[in-house]
Amino acid sequence: MTARRDIEAITERIRQRSKVGREAYLSRIAEASSRTANRAVLGCGNLAHGFAVCSPSEKIALGGDRVPNLGIITSYNDMLSAHQPFETFPALIKEAAREAGGIAQVAGGVPAMCDGVTQGQPGMELSLFSRDVIAMAAAIGLSHNMFDAAVFLGVCDKIVPGLVIAALTFGHLPAVFIPAGPMTTGLANDEKAKVRQLYAEGKVGRAELLEAESKSYHGPGTCTFYGTANSNQMLMEIMGLHTPGASFVNPGTPLRDALTREAAKRALAIAALGNAYTPVGRMIDERSIVNGVVGLHATGGSTNHTIHLIAMAAAAGIALTWQDISDLSEAVPLLARVYPNGLADVNHFHAAGGLGFLIRELLDEGLLHEDVQTVWGEGLRPYAVEARLGDDGGVVREAAPLQSGDEKVLAPFKQAFQATGGLKVLGGNLGHAVIKTSAVKPERRVIEAPAKVFDSQQGLNDAFKAGTLTGDFIAVIRFQGPKANGMPELHKLTTVLGILQDRGQRVALVTDGRMSGASGKVPAAIHVTPEAVEDGPIARIHDGDVIRLDADAGTLEVLVPGTEFALRRTADADLIGNEFGFGRELFAGFRQLVGRADHGAAAFGSA
């Protein structure tokens, strides 16, 4: 009961804080909704351009606003496993739209980059900014004013948050998100991690490493660990932007295709020309955002969403803060153990009962707002289901199982893995940071040790190869924030620090850069704000300064006398090497305009 009251109080706090911005946003989309006969306002030349390639009957229908037109925003490319399945989706959607008496057109494509490909490479410095590019690219597609509703085809890291920002910017339009699903299970994630460590120690070669990686990432769909991509899918379902049960069905299956067709028809049904007009900007409110944060904590999701959820909420006029996210973590237990928080992958999670089971458990305990609106209709209870393929090839739904299929993967509420969620905000004389604790053993959540300071992850890796990372220490990797170099993920640190921890050293990480849902067993205070390039305190740390990271108490302190620390000069870093090559020169404006991590790290103002 206390947790339920806490969640209600935090929701009300967000509502009151957001009152002015939310009212202004709703006023804007109400004005846009009053012009929902979109094509009627277009001149004949405008309209002729918009339906030039349509059939004669489609031109007649579109010319008179007689049928709804569904815009498809797609992140398809055939290099990346998560997005390759979208190649066939537009044809399925168009066919389903015709069956429902509507029309569908591909409104535009958005870029989709893979952090797995760019990890530790120069391209990673474009990753976070790609979210804002995706939002803007989707806006260009929808700007033609030809559409009554939109479906968004996206899965991974920055793609879904960018698409959500775009959908909410066009909040007068209904929006349904359609996932592609996870790849089938390959080499176990913990086995892959072992091979990575052996390679880092020089005990196996590149051939063995590539073989292990290829067995892990082996086919169409998202990676199977619980990183940002699969956290995205959880969020879209628990926030009501997917149809029920859609998130974790493998690509290339009859059920996946049936769910895609159903989602297209549902998008048309909730258009203004349908029977249940549901503009996404009204549908997503403070309760929906809180439900997303609750789901993130209950599943031990990606730390990237401490940035993305703030930016997504801002697009709907809602002011979410790190403190809100941290306070909600104290009220929500951890119910899932999916790698790196456990040995299972998302396919095992889905088989154990998946989101339907988890949503039902949280609803029954009053930890989710049930009285929300979704693309499926009123209330979140219809999402406590499993989707299956019916005899007629359509989707049927059954109530989620009453018991978990594997309580080591998905726990009932009363047997939660831990009493609180997996994310926490740290504060102290180094500013504020985020830590993911769900994969960190309790005895490693408090680390006090001298600092070893580096200005890049390569610097630490070089020190590891040189054998100088001895004893207990806290690695400080700075000048990795959004203004410095786009805030890349720093996963090349994970293997090295994991090896040292396994050797018995007490180690931790403090950085103004990012990790992600793949943050592992080493305690890591990330997203440190203010960042070093903005003269944040992290830029005044010296080698040997003792730092105390206390994830239990929620503190991050450098144990240097206050006066001495305040009088220190901030370090400078030569960032010229981060400004050119792999397109980084094109993003100079983004680095100048980007906001702080705790404000969503957006390069444009909130909607």
Side-chain angles (χ1 to χ4, degrees):
M1 188 63 71
T2 300
R4 184 182 305 184
R5 286 198 300 266
D6 289 344
I7 289 170
E8 290 286 355
I10 295 165
T11 305
E12 181 59 25
R13 181 173 83 196
I14 296 168
R15 183 180 292 113
Q16 291 302 319
R17 183 192 307 127
S18 308
K19 193 170 191 294
V20 173
R22 179 67 174 168
E23 288 177 354
Y25 171 78
L26 291 175
S27 177
R28 289 197 300 272
I29 66 169
E31 181 183 359
S33 294
S34 69
R35 296 181 276 108
T36 51
N38 299 311
R39 293 172 299 283
V41 305
L42 295 179
C44 293
N46 306 123
L47 194 53
H49 279 82
F51 63 36
V53 300
C54 292
S55 69
S57 62
E58 289 174 332
K59 290 179 180 179
I60 293 170
L62 290 175
D65 278 319
R66 297 178 182 178
V67 300
N69 190 25
L70 184 60
I72 304 168
I73 300 290
T74 178
S75 60
Y76 163 72
N77 66 60
D78 65 5
M79 183 191 73
L80 302 180
S81 64
H83 299 90
Q84 183 271 343
F86 289 136
E87 180 179 12
T88 61
F89 280 34
L92 293 172
I93 292 166
K94 290 179 181 183
E95 180 183 11
R98 284 193 295 269
E99 291 173 357
I103 297 168
Q105 296 177 295
V106 175
V110 302
M113 69 179 294
C114 177
D115 290 0
V117 176
T118 58
Q119 202 62 248
Q121 304 298 318
M124 172 53 76
E125 295 179 16
L126 308 187
S127 174
L128 180 59
F129 293 145
S130 77
R131 182 197 67 192
D132 297 3
V133 172
I134 288 159
M136 292 187 285
I140 290 169
L142 296 174
S143 70
H144 297 99
N145 206 22
M146 286 285 295
F147 307 107
D148 301 281
V151 291
F152 294 85
L153 313 183
V155 178
C156 285
D157 300 280
K158 316 309 167 296
I159 294 90
V160 167
L163 292 176
V164 171
I165 291 168
L168 291 170
T169 302
F170 285 78
H172 64 289
L173 293 177
V176 177
F177 280 64
I178 304 180
M183 70 176 66
T184 56
T185 299
L187 181 70
N189 286 292
D190 60 324
E191 291 298 319
K192 172 195 66 183
K194 288 177 184 176
V195 177
R196 287 180 176 178
Q197 287 205 3
L198 291 171
Y199 177 76
E201 294 175 288
K203 295 177 180 178
V204 301
R206 179 179 170 84
E208 290 87 351
L209 177 64
L210 183 56
E211 180 183 12
E213 299 285 355
S214 298
K215 287 180 177 178
S216 181
Y217 308 117
H218 63 90
T222 61
C223 306
T224 60
F225 65 86
Y226 196 53
T228 310
N230 288 315
S231 297
N232 281 337
Q233 304 318 300
M234 178 280 301
L235 283 174
M236 293 303 93
E237 187 150 338
I238 208 166
M239 291 171 66
L241 286 162
H242 279 173
T243 57
S247 293
F248 297 124
V249 175
N250 301 124
T253 61
L255 179 56
R256 178 83 275 158
D257 288 349
L259 285 162
T260 298
R261 292 190 183 94
E262 179 190 64
K265 292 179 180 180
R266 186 61 192 169
L268 291 172
I270 62 176
L273 293 176
N275 297 319
Y277 178 46
T278 309
V280 69
R282 284 198 171 275
M283 189 192 94
I284 296 296
D285 63 10
E286 296 87 355
R287 295 166 298 177
S288 309
I289 296 294
V290 167
N291 282 352
V293 178
V294 168
L296 192 72
H297 292 316
T299 57
S302 171
T303 55
N304 276 325
H305 282 298
T306 62
I307 296 174
H308 297 322
L309 274 164
I310 290 173
M312 290 155 61
I318 298 168
L320 180 71
T321 69
W322 274 2
Q323 195 59 55
D324 297 327
I325 296 172
S326 187
D327 290 348
L328 284 166
S329 181
E330 295 301 307
V332 179
L334 181 69
L335 300 183
R337 285 281 190 204
V338 186
Y339 190 85
N341 302 328
L343 298 180
D345 67 21
V346 292
N347 292 312
H348 302 133
F349 168 78
H350 186 63
L355 282 177
F357 179 92
L358 182 129
I359 288 170
R360 202 261 332 285
E361 290 291 296
L362 293 171
L363 282 172
D364 287 352
E365 297 296 328
L367 299 188
L368 288 171
H369 293 286
E370 188 168 354
D371 59 337
V372 293
Q373 197 170 22
T374 73
V375 299
W376 204 241
E378 295 293 333
L380 193 61
R381 184 68 62 171
Y383 283 75
V385 296
E386 288 188 32
R388 299 191 182 279
L389 194 68
D391 293 337
D392 62 353
V395 181
V396 295
R397 290 178 171 84
E398 302 172 355
L402 295 177
Q403 294 183 327
S404 169
D406 187 344
E407 293 188 3
K408 294 179 181 179
V409 177
L410 181 59
F413 185 87
K414 291 180 172 54
Q415 280 82 51
F417 295 114
Q418 62 184 47
T420 60
L423 296 173
K424 193 159 189 171
V425 172
L426 306 177
N429 62 3
L430 290 179
H432 288 89
V434 171
I435 189 167
K436 181 174 180 177
T437 60
S438 50
V440 178
K441 292 181 178 180
E443 63 269 22
R444 294 192 178 276
R445 293 179 185 174
V446 180
I447 303 288
E448 185 174 311
K452 291 184 183 289
V453 183
F454 304 91
D455 291 344
S456 70
Q457 62 179 334
Q458 189 59 48
L460 182 137
N461 287 332
D462 290 344
F464 173 75
K465 292 175 183 176
T468 60
L469 298 181
T470 56
D472 298 344
F473 69 93
I474 292 181
V476 177
I477 316 295
R478 58 195 184 186
F479 296 102
Q480 305 299 308
K483 283 189 177 295
N485 63 353
M487 206 179 189
E489 288 185 349
L490 304 173
H491 277 303
K492 282 201 168 183
L493 303 173
T494 305
T495 300
V496 167
L497 293 174
I499 291 169
L500 298 175
Q501 182 171 275
D502 289 348
R503 290 175 179 173
Q505 294 172 243
R506 292 183 63 79
V507 296
L509 171 67
V510 173
T511 180
D512 50 8
R514 289 187 297 124
M515 297 295 272
S516 83
S519 301
K521 59 190 179 182
V522 175
I526 60 177
H527 307 175
V528 171
T529 304
E531 63 176 288
V533 82
E534 291 192 301
D535 296 332
I538 191 174
R540 297 202 296 272
I541 299 173
H542 291 172
D543 276 325
D545 287 345
V546 175
I547 296 174
R548 181 176 175 84
L549 187 165
D550 188 336
D552 294 329
T555 58
L556 180 64
E557 300 273 350
V558 58
L559 304 184
V560 175
T563 302
E564 175 191 339
F565 192 65
L567 291 175
R568 285 184 182 176
R569 291 175 60 96
T570 55
D572 293 318
D574 181 4
L575 299 174
I576 191 69
N578 303 105
E579 295 177 0
F580 299 93
F582 287 85
R584 287 176 289 182
E585 52 268 62
L586 301 177
F587 286 76
F590 281 69
R591 291 190 294 272
Q592 293 170 9
L593 294 172
V594 68
R596 289 166 40 143
D598 58 345
H599 295 166
F604 43 68
S606 62

